[in-house]
Amino acid sequence: MRRRTFLATLPVAAATPLLAPETGGAAVPEPPTTLPGAWPVGEPRFIRPDVHAGDRPVGASFASRSAVYGLSGAAGTAQPLATLAGIETLKKGGSAVDAAIAMNACLGFLEPTSSGVGGDCFAMLWDPKAAKVVGMAGSGGSPRALTLEIARSRAKNGALPALGAISISVPGAVDGWWTLHQRYGRLKWAELFEPAIHLAETGAPIPDIIAWYIRRNLALFRRPDSGVEETANAMHTYAPGGDSPAAGGVFRNPDLARTYRMIAEGGRDAFYAGPIARTIEAYFKRIGGWMSYEDLATHHSEWVEPHVTGYRGADVHALGANTQGIATLQMLNILENFDLREAGFQSALSIHLQVEAKRLAYEDRARYYADPHFARVPVEWLISKDYAAQRAKLIRPDAILTPVHPGEAPSHGDTTYFTVADADGMMVSMIQSNFRGMGSGLVADGLGFMFQDRGQLFSLRDGHPNIYAPGKRPFQTIIPGFATRNGRPWMSFGVMGGDMQPQGQTQIIVNRQDYGLEIQSAGDSPRWHHEGSSQSMGEDAPGLPAAGLLRLESGVPERTRAALAALGWTIGASDGGFGRYECIENRRDGETRVYAAASEMRADGCALAY
């Protein structure tokens, strides 16, 4: 088989403005004049832009590996030991939901930089008996004792602080697991925690990326101006002895193992209405926070109906609720009005069109997305094809849209991702997060996990649908992905990373549907990440250019990079914020189901199948 080759070429008529010499916009970074001849001692990276990965005999030239294949099950996470726990759970006779819970519990120990029982979770899954995609929202509300007046008094630059007790909302993950298990579990609840308890007690080596992020997070929490009320518990948990584990160093968390034992024995009530809830309440009273036993005891997850849109032969599903899930659908609906295949893979025109679609969708995201229990969100209008066609008419192939505004609604109206599939055809797409990195910086006495800082995404502006209110769920960035074809499950996938998630999901679908990439190369393909909108959700850095900042991975062709800069885009440095991808594809070999699974090089994880 000959290697597939992709050329970033453009039709001359459409491409002329985008292939001009670099005369405007931000300068394309020049490679360093001297390059290191060996990996510099003590440096976390060895940067040689002139060196590329080895050549594979088949597949896309930029793919890092082959997909893995199996007939009975598959799993993919950002940590190999968690993936292995999922496979072992499936082999014991567990369902895909059982395996997802076991993997998530393991990730709470193995990857505390992205996940844990102090955060929320969302899931979409293919129910083979019902023959449809179903959704679950495990998102907690803000403390009832924290009023809008108090929140505003603690604001910084008009937004809630990123760290400390002010940013915490009720953790929804454990109840989300329980809700899924009650309907789809096969194994006993307690069995699902055995792998995580064993790992937390005996210890496991920390991979490179996770070790690096632990060090960065702990340094941030300990800054005098961080706003974290106390850091002794976090240091005790993640840096016993004063130093966090280096890459390859063994990490243990006996406090988390004890917490997991209580959850395994007492179910979700141990967390929300038992000893863990009492410990949480006492902790926040001690440090001057607001979370109470009542806040925890009244929390419950909910089943939700996913929204769906068609894109060039695939049906792409997304959660509504208080998430940004429909932003993916809005972007795809807008892009459907353009011939991206003709524009060319990794071309300046293709990336320009995708970024403009993102900017339009994210204006609506900032204006309308909120907890539907507190605000009326015009979802059907936002994801309609007619509205997308109107928005697409605003995009020019030869100029940046300035200014950009949200649409006028009719008058009536960070993160770990993992996926698993079982022998019965159930496919689970699940995402779970503490929001920014490890979360708020706060660890309750003796519990071994950090609380999320999701509350930072509330608005404090009067009249905004996402304005802070006691008991309200904040806007959520975490979204699982799912796609079907002809009424059958096709892909369970996700791209982790805050506001990158709809941007990453859209790029995966475009790579598959417009450019013909397979499951592995679709994730390995270089990505773009656009930051900034006129209505910030509290996640944008201050001082961004008027049209935002466009970050490109180093693999984006230099000709494309130069053309985008010439068009006027401000090109930012590659900062590692391009998301992390896992995917399982349901293929058919005649009447036989074959699972293909893929991971990527941006994380420490892997995909396995059997």
Side-chain angles (χ1 to χ4, degrees), residues 390-405:
Q390 295 171 21
R391 300 291 271 173
K393 291 177 182 177
L394 300 173
I395 297 175
R396 292 179 52 186
D398 58 350
I400 298 172
L401 177 60
T402 304
V404 59
H405 299 293

Side-chain angles (χ1 to χ4, degrees), residues 3-213:
R3 182 190 309 170
R4 287 185 291 174
T5 303
F6 298 95
L7 301 176
T9 57
L10 292 172
V12 174
T16 301
L18 295 179
L19 295 181
E22 185 182 334
T23 56
V28 178
E30 293 292 331
T33 54
T34 59
L35 298 172
W39 194 316
V41 177
E43 290 296 320
R45 301 186 68 196
F46 180 26
I47 301 176
R48 286 292 301 266
D50 59 323
V51 178
H52 301 279
D55 295 331
R56 288 169 49 79
V58 296
S61 60
F62 50 84
S64 62
R65 68 193 82 170
S66 300
V68 296
Y69 300 94
L71 299 177
S72 299
T77 79
Q79 221 284 359
L81 293 176
T83 303
L84 183 60
I87 293 294
E88 290 174 342
T89 302
L90 292 175
K91 288 185 173 182
K92 287 174 61 177
S95 68
V97 159
D98 290 329
I101 296 169
M103 292 192 303
N104 200 172
C106 288
L107 288 166
F109 164 67
L110 296 166
E111 193 193 18
T113 51
S114 299
S115 60
V117 292
D120 289 338
C121 74
F122 291 82
M124 281 193 292
L125 62 88
W126 177 261
D127 183 332
K129 292 183 178 178
K132 68 173 186 177
V133 178
V134 300
M136 189 282 301
S139 174
S142 57
R144 287 169 173 78
L146 179 58
T147 64
L148 177 60
E149 290 70 28
I150 296 173
R152 281 176 166 161
S153 72
R154 303 294 182 95
K156 294 183 178 180
N157 300 317
L160 281 169
L163 300 173
I166 193 74
S167 68
I168 291 172
S169 52
V170 172
V174 173
D175 188 74
W177 299 349
W178 181 264
T179 300
L180 289 165
H181 185 262
Q182 290 298 293
R183 182 180 290 189
Y184 295 110
R186 279 204 211 114
L187 300 180
K188 293 180 180 179
W189 170 257
E191 290 183 66
L192 309 182
F193 294 86
E194 291 173 357
I197 292 170
H198 173 74
L199 287 167
E201 288 180 338
T202 60
I206 294 287
D208 299 47
I209 295 174
I210 294 172
W212 185 68
Y213 277 120

Side-chain angles (χ1 to χ4, degrees), residues 225-449:
D225 60 347
S226 71
V228 180
E229 287 81 355
E230 67 86 24
T231 58
N233 285 359
M235 294 301 294
H236 166 77
T237 301
Y238 301 108
D243 293 319
S244 61
V250 178
F251 173 63
R252 298 176 179 86
N253 191 341
D255 288 346
L256 182 61
R258 285 191 294 271
T259 296
Y260 279 163
R261 286 192 187 280
M262 286 189 281
I263 297 170
E265 295 168 3
R268 57 87 61 201
D269 286 349
F271 191 95
Y272 296 96
I276 299 173
R278 295 296 184 191
T279 300
I280 291 172
E281 181 180 57
Y283 173 71
F284 282 109
K285 283 183 178 179
R286 177 170 76 81
I287 68 168
W290 297 270
M291 184 78 69
S292 71
Y293 176 89
E294 181 185 2
D295 292 326
L296 294 157
T298 55
H299 169 75
H300 291 284
S301 303
E302 61 181 358
W303 295 103
V304 294
E305 188 73 23
H307 301 287
V308 62
T309 195
Y311 184 78
R312 310 200 205 279
D315 288 323
V316 182
H317 303 256
L319 292 181
N322 52 317
T323 80
Q324 62 176 342
I326 63 171
T328 301
L329 308 190
Q330 286 194 256
M331 291 174 66
L332 291 172
N333 282 342
I334 293 170
L335 291 172
E336 201 172 31
N337 292 274
F338 300 94
D339 190 342
L340 294 185
R341 188 175 185 86
E342 181 70 14
F345 175 69
Q346 289 290 319
S347 69
L349 178 58
S350 177
I351 293 177
H352 170 73
L353 295 173
Q354 292 177 63
V355 174
E356 291 288 60
K358 176 268 175 184
R359 294 177 68 217
L360 289 168
Y362 274 50
E363 291 300 307
D364 291 336
R365 169 183 176 264
R367 172 64 182 85
Y368 296 112
Y369 294 16
D371 184 350
H373 295 305
F374 285 76
R376 189 171 183 180
V377 184
V379 174
E380 297 306 321
W381 169 71
L382 288 168
I383 64 173
S384 69
K385 298 291 187 181
D386 288 343
Y387 177 59
Q390 295 171 21
R391 300 291 271 173
K393 291 177 182 177
L394 300 173
I395 297 175
R396 292 179 52 186
D398 58 350
I400 298 172
L401 177 60
T402 304
V404 59
H405 299 293
E408 291 296 327
S411 58
H412 59 269
D414 296 358
T415 302
T416 195
Y417 174 82
F418 46 98
T419 179
V420 61
D422 65 27
D424 291 333
M426 180 181 290
M427 300 175 68
V428 178
S429 178
M430 193 160 167
I431 199 156
Q432 201 263 309
S433 174
N434 288 357
F435 186 40
R436 289 187 189 273
M438 295 178 74
S440 63
L442 297 174
V443 176
D445 301 326
L447 293 184
F449 66 85

Side-chain angles (χ1 to χ4, degrees), residues 490-556:
W490 176 38
M491 286 201 311
S492 171
F493 73 105
V495 178
M496 317 162 218
D499 74 325
M500 178 63 193
Q501 292 176 56
Q503 301 181 59
Q505 287 189 1
T506 297
Q507 290 174 68
I508 295 298
I509 294 295
V510 165
N511 284 341
R512 296 300 310 269
Q513 295 298 92
D514 290 286
Y515 298 122
L517 274 62
E518 45 75 48
I519 183 174
Q520 184 64 51
S521 57
D524 286 336
S525 171
R527 294 188 193 137
W528 55 266
H529 177 207
H530 181 267
E531 301 173 13
S533 65
S534 67
Q535 300 187 71
S536 173
M537 300 297 282
E539 64 209 340
D540 295 330
L544 291 178
L549 186 67
L550 177 58
R551 298 188 187 274
L552 303 173
E553 287 194 299
S554 60
V556 172

